Amino acid sequence: MDTLDDRQTLFIEVLLPLNLQNTFTYRVPYELNEEVIVGKRVSVPFGKNKVMAGLIYKIGETPPTLYQAKYILDIVDSEPIVSETQLELWTWIAHYYMSSLGLVYNAAMPAGLKMEGESKMVLHPDIDHNLSLDPKEYIIVESLKANKEISIAQASSLLKIKQIHKYVKSLYLKGIILLKEDINEIYKPKNVNYIKISNEVQSDNQLNILFDELEKRAKKQLKALMTFIAKYSITGEAEKTELVKHDVTNAAINALVDKGIFIQENRVKSRIVFTDQKQELEDLEKEQQQAYHNIQMAFVERRPALLFGVTSSGKTHVYAHLIKENLDKGRQVLYLLPEIALTSQLIERLQHYFGEQLVVSHSKFSNNERVEVYQAVQGGKPLLIVGTRSAIFQPFENLGLIIVDEEHESSFKQHEPAPRFHARDTALYLAAKRKANILLGSATPAVESYYNAQQGKYDLVKLLKRYDNAILPKIEVVDMQQQKKQKRTKGIFSDTLLDAISGAKQKGKQVILFQNKKGYVPVLECNVCAWTPKCQNCDISLTYYKYQENLRCHYCGYTQEVVNKCVTCGNTGIELIGYGTERIEDELVLYLPDIKVKRMDYNTTRLKNSHTKLIQEFSEGRIDVLIGTQMVAKGLDFENVSTVGILNADHLINFPDFRANERAFQLITQVAGRAGRRKEQGKVYIQTSKPDHFVIKQIVENDYTGMYESELSERMEYDYPPFHRLIKVTLKHKDALHLYKLGQITKNHLISFFGASLLGPEKPYVSKIRNWYILNFVLKIENNGSKIREQKHKLSMAVAQLEKNKEFSQARIVVDVDPI
């Protein structure tokens, strides 16, 4: 037997979910040496009295030189919950996007797997009191019954032990407690009662006896039994709620259960309805088959592919064949979408092909559901994971393919909180490291992506014909200045568009109207002194919401009552300036009272299943006109939509950003693509006061190449992406005057590092958010790998020096690499 002196002394680097640049070194007790594996969680002392759960990041034998390492308290997991390849991705994200590794850990892990020291525990509302408990677990549960909530640190003090996290994990997995992060979205499994016929009465002889008995005494029960057999067979089973729909009473079913004729079993059912049998994929059309072949050729060379396919060209169908190929080989597939809004219709299509191999991952899932998804992916089974940008953090075991659909979308970029990563670019890194294939798809690729394809970094694959020979929509530009002069407008509507909506209704067709403004009106204004109600926390006008009867800030959520009088001059003439989706809905019904109208915006789709229900209503023809923000632009497929209206194209073109023309082209083209997606040609009406603007002309001619070339020329001249990379440095302070002073210090300091490559300071369009005043600097770096790394290193040093300055003690410095 080894003596203590002969045993190996191990030290581990522990990663904590905090905004700290470094890991912390801890010593491992000899008796835990064999259990130490990278990716397991450990309980560690932190600070004076805290106990935290951290992640083993590295294992070594070298003690720290600047401090004496404390011992870890316990190992929480029997198996690693994070792989070394996941940690490698986290490290890359932290370095590339200049974020702390702790914040990447915080973003990547479901809350239920972090168990921070200050996390509060509460009892689950559906606690099963029959579960067996360890004595220490019992003490925690009894304390929760008495106190409603306690922190993990308090539980540690209560039990007088440091190794608390193993008991917290056990109670969490048993469903007895919830961590406080879960409280606002408590996950309740969907329990369903299933009915089947008892084995003892399934023989013909027994059934005949039963029929005779029930005929005499219980005709409703006889009807229930015979209906079941007719619909589901003698050996089948049915959901009780489905059986009731066949004109069978609950009382009759319950009576048959009491008699032992029916067996009732309560089981958990997935909220996503999977088909029992997978459907075979339809064959690809000639153009799709060629695109599929070209993508496969790119994959043979281990090169990323960019699928440039016009709207309704059947890109998703090509994706489905690639997905099937990978699943059949036992590989996992990640299918990234920019927004949750895109998932419901797509999932409905994909689940018919891939059944229970499909897993969904997005931010509207509760923390409990996210843990379930994480564990399912970690199992390594061949799965299709469909999700938004956070799905990039799933623990892939056998990744074969990544698809980034609508790759041009700015929603792939994380803005707040850090890490401010871009899911598309992160996916490219992940694919390279995992030796997986990656396909980017879009009808309007990002200028940077198309440039990479032109430069040979990606293989460019084109799909320029619509599926099933559908015709691209005809686009008509409506000159709103001319219409106003001729008094042909009603509010925001031209008579041309109103006539088109009315005509579509008469033909039994549907209409989509696009306006990228929420609420009723963006601004209320005094018609005497031009005063407008503003947010008390942000430098922005409050949006008027008629149906909630309040004014609301879109940045911080501040609300106040509607004002009827100017606070400056006392005038009661408050005018409504502009049009949000609520006002458009109201006014359209006034002009066309027979039209059934609904909105699709953040406020009508924020509940978990509301978006799916709205899409279903529209698909079934119960809505004539769907008014929406940019949600309606993305990937939705409605075969009965003949008309699309862009209500205000000028707002998109006039936006103060170097990407404004590109984004206007992308967004309007994507919205226009919703029209006439089958045999009949659709019609698109673009309302603008600048009908001769070159971007409008490019959209009408579907001239992506023209847009790309004009953008590329301008960006080359002014040193913008793809020729230069941008890093935005944002300086924040709660005192406007002090911020101005800090801005001058920062400017002088950064110029000493970067010279003319630095732009700023500049006040942004919204210069105060949540009581923080804002100044921006932009650093332009030549698009060269070594140059970028060098400049980032210099910037890290420069920012660190500023943060040590006492003048900056109350300030925040935010670094955003590749801002969107």
Side-chain angles (χ1 to χ4, degrees):
M1 186 174 177
D2 292 338
T3 63
L4 289 179
D5 292 339
D6 294 331
R7 294 183 188 178
Q8 188 179 21
T9 301
L10 294 181
F11 292 88
I12 58 173
E13 298 295 318
V14 175
L15 176 59
L16 298 170
L18 303 171
N19 187 16
L20 300 168
Q21 293 296 333
N22 303 317
T23 55
F24 293 85
T25 307
Y26 287 87
R27 186 171 176 176
V28 181
Y30 295 127
E31 64 271 17
L32 294 179
N33 275 4
E34 292 184 6
E35 295 181 49
V36 170
I37 301 174
V38 169
K40 283 186 177 183
R41 287 171 297 177
V42 288
S43 292
V44 295
F46 187 75
K48 288 187 178 179
N49 301 307
K50 282 186 179 179
V51 175
M52 297 193 72
L55 201 67
I56 301 176
Y57 184 70
K58 282 183 184 174
I59 303 169
E61 297 178 40
T62 307
T65 54
L66 299 178
Y67 57 91
Q68 186 171 355
K70 297 178 182 178
Y71 280 97
I72 66 169
L73 303 173
D74 199 8
I75 297 178
V76 177
D77 302 300
S78 55
E79 298 293 334
I81 62 165
V82 175
S83 68
E84 292 193 46
T85 47
Q86 280 176 275
L87 290 175
E88 188 179 3
L89 176 68
W90 296 3
T91 303
W92 178 84
I93 290 172
H95 288 163
Y96 184 85
Y97 291 103
M98 300 181 69
S99 173
S100 72
L101 194 55
L103 286 180
V104 181
Y105 173 29
N106 210 32
M109 294 298 292
L113 293 177
K114 283 185 295 210
M115 296 197 302
E116 297 172 39
E118 294 306 308
S119 292
K120 304 281 187 182
M121 295 180 284
V122 297
L123 288 176
H124 196 295
D126 297 328
I127 182 173
D128 183 350
H129 294 280
N130 296 319
L131 287 172
S132 60
L133 297 176
D134 172 280
K136 290 184 173 60
E137 293 175 354
Y138 178 79
I139 293 171
I140 293 173
V141 170
E142 290 302 306
S143 178
L144 284 170
K145 287 178 182 177
N147 298 294
K148 292 190 177 178
E149 68 174 47
I150 59 173
S151 71
I152 291 177
Q154 287 170 330
S156 176
S157 176
L158 176 73
L159 295 175
K160 296 183 171 56
I161 58 169
K162 298 281 189 180
Q163 297 88 344
I164 189 65
H165 288 93
K166 64 166 71 172
Y167 301 108
V168 175
K169 176 189 174 185
S170 174
L171 289 169
Y172 187 88
L173 293 177
K174 288 177 181 176
I176 293 171
I177 66 164
L178 290 168
L179 298 177
K180 194 66 180 285
E181 291 88 342
D182 300 329
I183 299 309
N184 292 329
E185 31 183 1
I186 293 171
Y187 171 57
K188 293 183 181 179
K190 184 178 180 180
N191 287 291
V192 174
N193 286 319
Y194 289 89
I195 300 293
K196 63 182 179 179
I197 297 175
S198 169
N199 292 337
E200 296 175 7
V201 295
Q202 283 186 11
S203 69
D204 291 344
N205 187 42
Q206 286 283 7
L207 282 173
N208 287 329
I209 294 169
L210 262 178
F211 290 155
D212 290 341
E213 287 180 4
L214 295 174
E215 175 72 33
K216 295 173 186 175
R217 301 178 184 176
K219 291 190 176 180
K220 287 186 177 179
Q221 294 173 34
L222 175 63
K223 181 184 177 184
L225 181 58
M226 295 185 75
T227 301
F228 183 95
I229 294 169
K231 297 288 182 184
Y232 305 103
S233 82
I234 294 171
T235 56
E237 70 173 15
E239 291 181 31
K240 190 175 184 180
T241 52
E242 290 299 312
L243 184 55
V244 170
K245 290 177 183 177
H246 297 295
D247 199 24
V248 173
T249 65
N250 268 310
I253 297 171
N254 293 336
L256 290 170
V257 170
D258 292 340
K259 291 177 179 177
I261 297 166
F262 276 168
I263 302 294
Q264 179 172 292
E265 185 181 336
N266 186 274
R267 299 202 299 267
V268 173
K269 181 184 176 184
S270 170
R271 284 176 165 81
I272 297 175
V273 182
F274 295 110
T275 50
D276 293 332
Q277 293 182 336
K278 296 179 192 175
Q279 293 180 2
E280 286 297 315
L281 283 169
E282 298 93 349
D283 291 337
L284 296 170
E285 291 187 341
K286 183 181 176 182
E287 289 79 12
Q288 294 173 333
Q289 185 64 51
Q290 185 60 51
Y292 178 74
H293 172 74
N294 291 342
I295 292 165
Q296 286 184 312
M297 294 301 292
F299 290 169
V300 167
E301 299 292 326
R302 287 281 175 210
R303 291 158 62 82
L306 173 64
L307 178 57
F308 177 18
V310 298
T311 55
S312 198
S313 58
K315 293 187 292 294
T316 306
H317 201 39
V318 176
Y319 299 159
H321 279 261
L322 292 165
I323 291 164
K324 184 177 187 303
E325 181 186 331
N326 278 270
L327 294 178
D328 288 348
K329 290 178 181 176
R331 309 294 299 275
Q332 292 179 332
V333 179
L334 172 61
Y335 191 149
L336 284 176
L337 293 162
E339 287 191 19
I340 298 165
L342 276 172
T343 59
S344 58
Q345 215 181 21
L346 177 70
I347 288 165
E348 193 174 332
R349 291 173 64 185
L350 293 177
Q351 68 189 15
H352 288 297
Y353 300 135
F354 305 113
E356 294 187 8
Q357 286 183 288
L358 185 150
V359 174
V360 184
S361 166
H362 60 59
S363 61
K364 280 196 178 178
F365 275 15
S366 71
N367 287 322
N368 296 49
E369 287 173 302
R370 290 183 206 180
V371 172
E372 288 179 20
V373 171
Y374 188 91
Q375 291 169 341
V377 177
Q378 197 171 35
K381 292 179 183 177
L383 293 173
L384 166 60
I385 299 96
V386 180
T388 48
R389 60 177 179 261
S390 59
I392 200 83
F393 292 118
Q394 291 296 339
F396 305 104
E397 290 291 326
N398 191 17
L399 188 62
L401 173 66
I402 302 175
I403 296 168
V404 186
D405 198 11
E406 310 294 355
E407 64 83 30
H408 65 278
E409 278 287 346
S410 58
S411 304
F412 279 124
K413 172 72 173 179
Q414 167 85 4
H415 296 287
E416 292 292 341
R420 295 170 180 84
F421 70 100
H422 197 298
R424 178 198 61 210
D425 300 341
T426 304
L428 286 160
Y429 172 85
L430 178 64
K433 282 295 176 184
R434 292 295 186 95
K435 293 184 170 54
N437 295 314
I438 183 165
L439 174 63
L440 314 180
S442 176
T444 53
V447 166
E448 291 92 331
S449 297
Y450 200 75
Y451 177 77
N452 283 333
Q454 295 293 327
Q455 295 298 305
K457 289 184 180 179
Y458 309 156
D459 273 20
L460 180 62
V461 180
K462 293 186 178 182
L463 192 54
L464 301 180
K465 283 189 179 180
R466 280 189 148 194
Y467 177 71
D468 202 21
N469 293 316
I471 310 164
L472 284 166
K474 182 180 178 183
I475 299 176
E476 180 176 333
V477 179
V478 181
D479 185 342
M480 292 301 285
Q481 281 191 329
Q482 187 180 47
Q483 289 243 340
K484 284 173 185 174
K485 285 177 186 175
Q486 296 170 355
K487 298 185 178 177
R488 293 170 55 193
T489 59
K490 291 183 178 178
I492 198 172
F493 298 98
S494 63
D495 64 356
T496 307
L497 182 55
L498 287 174
D499 288 345
I501 296 168
S502 182
K505 167 71 173 173
Q506 289 170 13
K507 293 176 184 175
K509 296 294 183 180
Q510 292 170 293
V511 179
I512 288 177
L513 298 179
F514 171 74
Q515 171 73 341
N516 213 19
K517 292 280 185 184
K518 295 176 284 188
Y520 196 80
V521 293
V523 179
L524 296 182
E525 183 177 276
C526 172
N527 61 11
V528 172
C529 70
W531 169 85
T532 63
K534 288 197 169 186
C535 175
Q536 64 177 20
N537 307 315
C538 310
D539 180 27
I540 195 75
S541 299
L542 293 171
T543 298
Y544 170 43
Y545 282 81
K546 180 179 178 181
Y547 296 103
Q548 279 94 2
E549 291 192 355
N550 63 21
L551 299 172
R552 190 183 312 165
C553 174
H554 288 158
Y555 284 87
C556 71
Y558 167 79
T559 60
Q560 71 174 55
E561 292 181 359
V562 179
V563 293
N564 298 311
K565 169 169 97 166
C566 175
V567 299
T568 303
C569 70
N571 171 48
T572 55
I574 304 294
E575 292 186 351
L576 306 178
I577 308 295
Y579 281 82
T581 49
E582 284 185 5
R583 187 177 185 184
I584 293 163
E585 180 184 22
D586 260 14
E587 293 195 2
L588 184 58
V589 173
L590 284 176
Y591 304 138
L592 301 172
D594 296 331
I595 299 283
K596 294 174 187 170
V597 182
K598 282 215 173 173
R599 287 179 289 120
M600 182 188 286
D601 53 31
Y602 173 77
N603 299 294
T604 60
T605 60
R606 57 186 171 181
L607 296 177
K608 189 169 183 179
N609 296 313
S610 53
H611 188 272
T612 305
K613 289 175 183 173
L614 190 54
I615 287 175
Q616 188 174 352
E617 274 187 73
F618 194 60
S619 296
E620 292 170 356
R622 288 183 277 154
I623 302 169
D624 298 319
V625 179
L626 186 64
I627 300 165
T629 53
Q630 57 183 320
M631 282 184 178
V632 300
K634 300 173 183 179
L636 300 175
D637 185 5
F638 302 109
E639 62 180 56
N640 200 39
V641 172
S642 66
T643 306
V644 166
I646 314 293
L647 295 173
N648 185 0
D650 300 341
H651 173 73
L652 300 172
I653 295 167
N654 295 335
F655 198 77
D657 179 53
F658 77 92
R659 288 191 173 93
N661 291 336
E662 176 192 6
R663 285 188 177 150
F665 182 94
Q666 289 167 338
L667 194 50
I668 295 174
T669 300
Q670 293 279 345
V671 177
R674 305 311 108 202
R677 294 173 70 84
R678 295 297 181 265
K679 295 289 185 186
E680 188 178 331
Q681 186 179 30
K683 192 78 182 281
V684 179
Y685 297 87
I686 301 177
Q687 296 189 160
T688 175
S689 59
K690 298 179 178 179
D692 296 323
H693 194 286
F694 67 92
V695 173
I696 297 294
K697 289 184 175 179
Q698 289 164 350
I699 291 167
V700 171
E701 295 164 8
N702 195 34
D703 184 14
Y704 174 84
T705 306
M707 183 278 294
Y708 167 76
E709 288 175 351
S710 60
E711 282 295 296
L712 206 64
S713 172
E714 192 168 284
R715 294 188 192 187
M716 180 182 285
E717 183 178 354
Y718 294 105
D719 295 341
Y720 278 106
F723 304 102
H724 280 68
R725 303 293 277 276
L726 304 182
I727 300 179
K728 183 167 74 172
V729 179
T730 299
L731 190 60
K732 300 182 180 182
H733 200 283
K734 292 195 173 182
D735 184 298
L737 289 175
H738 194 67
L739 178 67
Y740 177 77
K741 178 183 175 183
L742 295 183
Q744 295 306 307
I745 296 171
T746 303
K747 177 182 176 180
N748 295 333
H749 183 68
L750 292 181
I751 281 177
S752 69
F753 282 85
F754 304 108
S757 299
L758 184 77
L759 303 178
E762 176 194 34
K763 275 179 70 172
Y765 177 68
V766 180
S767 60
K768 177 189 171 190
I769 298 176
R770 294 185 178 90
N771 289 318
W772 290 88
Y773 293 91
I774 302 167
L775 284 177
N776 286 332
F777 296 84
V778 173
L779 179 62
K780 291 182 176 179
I781 307 170
E782 189 180 337
N783 197 357
N784 172 290
S786 58
K787 184 79 172 174
I788 293 167
R789 285 190 293 274
E790 176 195 326
Q791 296 292 75
K792 280 183 183 175
H793 179 68
K794 284 167 63 177
L795 181 59
S796 293
M797 289 194 301
V799 169
Q801 290 171 11
L802 285 172
E803 288 175 335
K804 288 177 183 176
N805 186 331
K806 288 182 180 179
E807 294 271 16
F808 286 78
S809 61
Q810 301 299 313
R812 287 184 185 175
I813 303 175
V814 176
V815 177
D816 187 2
V817 177
D818 299 337
I820 292 287

